Amino acid sequence: MAAAREELLKDLEEVKELLVKVTRKRLRDVLLTEKHKLELEIKNQPQPKPKDAVEEEKSSLGGYTVKINNYGWDQSDKFIKIYISLNGVQKLPAENVQVNFTERSFDLLVKNLNGKNYTMTFNNLLKPISVEGSSRKIKTDTVLVMCRKKREEKWDCLTQVEKESKEKEKAAYDTSDPSEGLMNLLKKMYAEGDDEMKRTINKAWVESREKQSKGDIPMDI
């Protein structure tokens, strides 16, 4: 659910950027309709509940369990470093901060910090990591997860999902020509829209082209 909500938010930002650039009233109306639709979808997205995300952990842990969503990351030639801020974590016994690694994932569990448990899971890491070479460090108000790279190469993002999302956005919108970016978005809206949306886009495009040159043939969207 969180991934779907994030994609909707990215789509909304793209539409807002294009609204600033577009000058044709009909095309602007189409974009405003899409903006309203996206805002409704985002509003209707169910908010993730901590108990749903960590049901399994709660069955074996006492107290309230919180899913960690905020973090920072960096990398060196050998490591991917994930920084998680948790006030007072350095006061816990070392065994209360556990990280389980696999070749493409890790799970962090912090037990009984100020009466709460904290969890974080990363699946489908962008590239394989060394389980034996990975570890965690406890610093003042911070847990540092150190994922040892199997190959010393730069990571552009943390997970395969992030990579696919970036590639999809780049293919659709990354163009030096703003009008081309707008056209790509309109084509996407046309392909995914209902009959009313298709009619609106067709009409907008035909009217726009007719104003430029009466002899032009409208592009087949």
Side-chain angles (χ1 to χ4, degrees):
M1 290 294 181
R5 182 181 177 85
E6 184 177 345
E7 287 302 308
L8 288 172
L9 288 169
K10 289 180 180 179
D11 288 344
L12 180 60
E13 286 304 310
E14 290 286 348
V15 171
K16 287 180 178 178
E17 289 179 13
L18 289 167
L19 273 169
V20 175
K21 300 174 183 177
V22 73
T23 57
R24 298 287 180 182
K25 181 180 184 302
R26 180 71 67 173
L27 293 179
R28 183 176 179 81
D29 289 343
V30 171
L31 290 172
L32 285 171
T33 300
E34 181 67 10
K35 176 175 175 288
H36 181 64
K37 177 183 172 184
L38 287 168
E39 288 172 341
L40 283 178
E41 285 189 56
I42 293 168
K43 183 179 179 181
N44 292 331
Q45 283 281 311
Q47 294 294 325
K49 298 180 181 179
K51 66 177 183 179
D52 295 332
V54 292
E55 193 66 37
E56 186 175 342
E57 289 88 345
K58 284 189 68 178
S59 64
S60 59
L61 295 172
Y64 183 67
T65 303
V66 178
K67 182 178 179 181
I68 301 169
N69 293 311
N70 296 322
Y71 61 91
W73 75 285
D74 196 0
Q75 63 182 306
S76 62
D77 291 339
K78 296 182 179 180
F79 287 94
I80 293 292
K81 307 171 187 179
I82 296 94
Y83 300 85
I84 301 102
S85 297
L86 291 169
N87 290 334
V89 69
Q90 73 278 6
K91 299 175 184 177
L92 291 176
E95 60 268 21
N96 281 32
V97 182
Q98 304 170 2
V99 184
N100 295 316
F101 296 95
T102 73
E103 191 175 70
R104 296 296 287 267
S105 70
F106 71 83
D107 295 281
L108 168 68
L109 172 62
V110 179
K111 297 189 290 186
N112 196 25
L113 176 60
N114 300 321
K116 297 179 182 178
N117 305 304
Y118 294 84
T119 65
M120 169 180 270
T121 300
F122 265 94
N123 293 316
N124 299 315
L125 291 172
L126 183 65
K127 301 177 186 293
I129 61 174
S130 167
V131 175
E132 298 78 11
S134 299
S135 62
R136 62 102 178 99
K137 294 182 180 180
I138 303 172
K139 300 178 176 290
T140 303
D141 298 331
T142 302
V143 176
L144 172 58
V145 178
M146 305 277 290
C147 297
R148 176 66 185 258
K149 298 177 180 178
K150 276 202 167 181
R151 296 180 61 183
E152 295 183 9
E153 55 187 353
K154 183 180 178 181
W155 290 27
D156 295 325
C157 49
L158 283 179
T159 67
Q160 189 66 31
V161 173
E162 288 180 56
K163 179 185 177 184
E164 292 172 358
S165 176
K166 286 182 178 181
E167 288 177 346
K168 182 179 178 182
E169 289 179 8
K170 183 176 181 181
Y173 309 121
D174 187 11
T175 172
S176 58
D177 184 355
S179 63
E180 185 179 342
L182 173 59
M183 186 53 59
N184 287 336
L185 177 63
L186 289 175
K187 287 180 179 180
K188 177 175 180 289
M189 289 164 57
Y190 184 89
E192 298 175 357
D194 55 19
D195 290 342
E196 181 62 30
M197 176 63 74
K198 287 184 169 81
R199 283 194 295 270
T200 302
I201 293 174
N202 271 333
K203 186 175 181 181
W205 179 245
V206 171
E207 290 183 358
S208 175
R209 297 298 292 173
E210 285 178 346
K211 287 180 181 179
Q212 293 178 39
S213 175
K214 203 168 184 179
D216 282 354
I217 299 175
M219 182 180 294
D220 184 10
I221 297 180

